[in-house]
């Protein structure tokens, strides 16, 4: 379905945004440990995007 492919693209864009926030937290000296949380959230969204992309017919 086309809807699964669109959902996958949204998850991929969300993963990129989570990774960008993680990079910002890496260079921020006031917070420690938050970058790992955002990195894990980005990885989870990347995984979900892959799942939805595989569900869509070729």
């Amino acid at each position: 379905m086309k809807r699964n492919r669109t959902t996958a693209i949204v998850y991929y864009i969300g993963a990129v945004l989570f990774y960008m926030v993680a990079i910002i937290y890496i260079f921020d000296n006031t917070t420690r440990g938050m970058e790992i949380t955002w990195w894990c959230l980005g990885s989870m969204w990347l995984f979900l995007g892959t799942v939805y992309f595989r569900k869509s017919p070729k």
Side-chain angles (χ1 to χ4, degrees):
M1 293 173 103
K2 188 170 175 87
R3 184 170 189 216
N4 285 339
R5 187 168 287 234
T6 305
T7 305
I9 291 171
V10 170
Y11 275 120
Y12 287 146
I13 292 170
V16 168
L17 293 175
F18 278 125
Y19 286 143
M20 286 194 305
V21 171
I23 290 170
I24 290 170
Y25 273 119
I26 286 173
F27 294 113
D28 188 18
N29 291 331
T30 59
T31 58
R32 291 289 173 202
M34 284 300 295
E35 65 271 2
I36 295 172
T37 303
W38 290 102
W39 195 267
C40 291
L41 284 171
S43 298
M44 182 188 67
W45 277 54
L46 187 65
F47 172 74
L48 288 173
T50 304
V51 168
Y52 276 99
F53 189 73
R54 288 188 180 181
K55 281 184 179 181
S56 65
K58 304 284 186 244

